[in-house]
Amino acid sequence: MPTAVDEVTAKTEMVEIEPNTGLALKTATNEEKANDEPEAKISTGEAPKPKDMQQKNEPGDPDDAKGQTVGEEKEPECHKEQEADVPVEVEPKTGVSFPVKLNDGKQLEAVGLRKKSMLGLGIKIYAFGIYADNDELKALVRDKIGKAPAKPTKEMYHMVIDSDVGTIVRLVIVFSSLTMSMVRKNFDEGLGAAIKKLTGGKKEELTKMIMGEASDDIKLIPGSEIEISRLPGYILQTKVMGEVVSNVQSELLCRAYMYLYLGDDPFDKEAKDKFGSSLLHLF
């Protein structure tokens, strides 16, 4: 192991002397000087790592700022890169594409579009893809229904709405002027109406929980994503651009959220019908 003196000596500029005149003939190159940067401080008692084990990031590498150490695995950049090789289905009214399968195995059951009436116009707010655990769905429909009906029935949809089957609805923003406060208000109104249809009453404290701690300062631009997942134990989890903003355990809230897409007055009737067709294929 080199001593401190050895390290200092190794980093000292090397000069070649002409024996007759005593003049310097050659100095270290600029590249050699660049390598003479002082090493990071090492805590007392910790031996320096062998040169071939040290991290080789260039100055300014983002990993330096993160303090990543040798041997650490980098976090995945985002689910888009992980899903890059997966076939996609395109929502036709917006051109937004959705991978047919997520990294956790959930499969795309339907795509659709959420529109909102503003000043008499139907404004496109977001495209969405509904994902579900097909093994859980298959067990559910075979257990509750048994034989496949000729076409999707109201009972089938409500069976999924009321169940604890793992589902994810991925929303991809397409409206350029959308704000976080508008999203919050939209869910408050939609979930409030769904809860009233399911129970006949109001649960305003529940509807306000879905966006949790999401700040109104979050910038939503076309392509921004929100994912709302129904997790085991009737937990509704909301992610805004990859960050978890709420985890709410409520069977009623889970049912109300799925009702928005599969209920009697869904956001997109064609998407609901496509989901029903996917259910029939599980028999």
Side-chain angles (χ1 to χ4, degrees), residues 63 66 68 72-79 81-82:
D63 286 336
K66 295 177 184 176
Q68 186 178 7
E72 283 186 343
E73 294 183 5
K74 294 183 181 180
E75 290 291 326
E77 289 295 327
C78 75
H79 57 71
E81 289 188 5
Q82 296 171 329

Side-chain angles (χ1 to χ4, degrees), residues 109 134 137-138 141-142 145-153 156-157 159-160 272-283:
E109 310 295 343
N134 270 4
L137 273 183
K138 184 182 296 186
V141 296
R142 291 183 175 181
I145 298 177
K147 185 178 179 180
K151 61 180 182 179
T153 64
M156 288 177 60
Y157 291 117
M159 174 188 64
V160 177
K272 175 185 173 180
D273 292 342
K274 176 67 183 301
F275 190 95
S277 297
S278 297
L279 288 178
L280 293 180
H281 287 118
L282 294 176
F283 284 94

Side-chain angles (χ1 to χ4, degrees), residues 11-282:
K11 294 177 183 177
T12 303
E13 185 179 68
M14 300 302 296
V15 179
E16 185 179 345
I17 304 298
E18 209 284 321
N20 296 326
T21 65
L23 297 178
L25 296 179
K26 179 182 177 183
T27 60
T29 65
N30 290 334
E31 181 179 358
E32 290 169 329
K33 290 181 180 180
N35 290 333
D36 287 342
E37 294 295 332
E39 294 186 15
K41 292 182 179 179
I42 300 174
S43 59
T44 304
E46 182 181 348
K49 293 177 182 177
K51 195 166 185 178
D52 61 347
M53 292 295 290
Q54 293 175 5
Q55 193 175 0
K56 298 182 180 179
N57 291 335
E58 294 294 326
D61 190 305
D63 286 336
D64 291 340
K66 295 177 184 176
Q68 186 178 7
T69 58
V70 175
E72 283 186 343
E73 294 183 5
K74 294 183 181 180
E75 290 291 326
E77 289 295 327
C78 75
H79 57 71
K80 283 187 177 180
E81 289 188 5
Q82 296 171 329
E83 296 161 357
D85 297 330
V86 178
V88 299
E89 181 174 340
V90 177
E91 197 291 309
K93 300 181 184 69
T94 60
V96 175
S97 60
F98 294 87
V100 299
K101 190 174 183 179
L102 300 181
N103 298 316
D104 65 0
K106 290 184 178 63
Q107 296 187 352
L108 183 64
E109 310 295 343
V111 296
L113 172 65
R114 169 62 166 145
K115 296 176 70 175
K116 187 79 173 176
S117 179
M118 296 182 183
L119 302 176
L121 301 175
I123 306 298
K124 298 175 183 178
I125 306 299
Y126 60 80
F128 64 85
I130 306 175
Y131 295 85
D133 186 316
N134 270 4
D135 290 337
E136 292 182 10
L137 273 183
K138 184 182 296 186
L140 179 69
V141 296
R142 291 183 175 181
D143 180 57
K144 299 290 185 181
I145 298 177
K147 185 178 179 180
K151 61 180 182 179
T153 64
K154 184 175 181 178
E155 177 190 5
M156 288 177 60
Y157 291 117
H158 277 269
M159 174 188 64
V160 177
I161 290 170
D162 296 340
S163 76
D164 195 21
V165 169
T167 54
I168 295 177
V169 182
R170 178 179 291 181
L171 320 178
V172 181
I173 307 302
V174 295
F175 181 50
S176 59
S177 300
L178 193 66
T179 64
M180 202 64 225
S181 60
M182 292 169 66
V183 172
R184 197 185 306 276
K185 182 179 179 181
N186 177 70
F187 278 117
D188 286 351
E189 293 174 351
L191 289 168
I195 288 174
K196 187 173 182 179
K197 288 182 179 179
L198 290 171
T199 67
K202 293 183 178 180
K203 293 283 185 180
E204 293 184 1
E205 69 279 6
L206 273 182
T207 64
K208 296 183 183 301
M209 290 181 179
I210 191 168
M211 282 297 129
E213 300 177 357
S215 170
D216 288 342
D217 295 332
I218 295 176
K219 303 296 184 183
L220 295 174
I221 61 174
S224 297
E225 293 183 0
I226 298 174
E227 281 191 353
I228 302 181
S229 308
R230 179 172 62 184
L231 305 177
Y234 291 103
I235 296 173
L236 199 66
Q237 180 187 83
T238 302
K239 291 182 180 180
V240 178
M241 296 165 65
E243 298 292 330
V244 176
V245 298
S246 72
N247 279 298
V248 184
Q249 185 172 21
S250 168
E251 180 178 347
L252 178 57
L253 189 61
C254 287
R255 291 173 60 213
Y257 184 71
M258 295 309 301
Y259 187 88
L260 296 177
Y261 299 93
L262 303 178
D264 299 334
D265 186 21
F267 283 162
D268 188 321
K269 178 68 164 53
E270 292 181 10
K272 175 185 173 180
D273 292 342
K274 176 67 183 301
F275 190 95
S277 297
S278 297
L279 288 178
L280 293 180
H281 287 118
L282 294 176

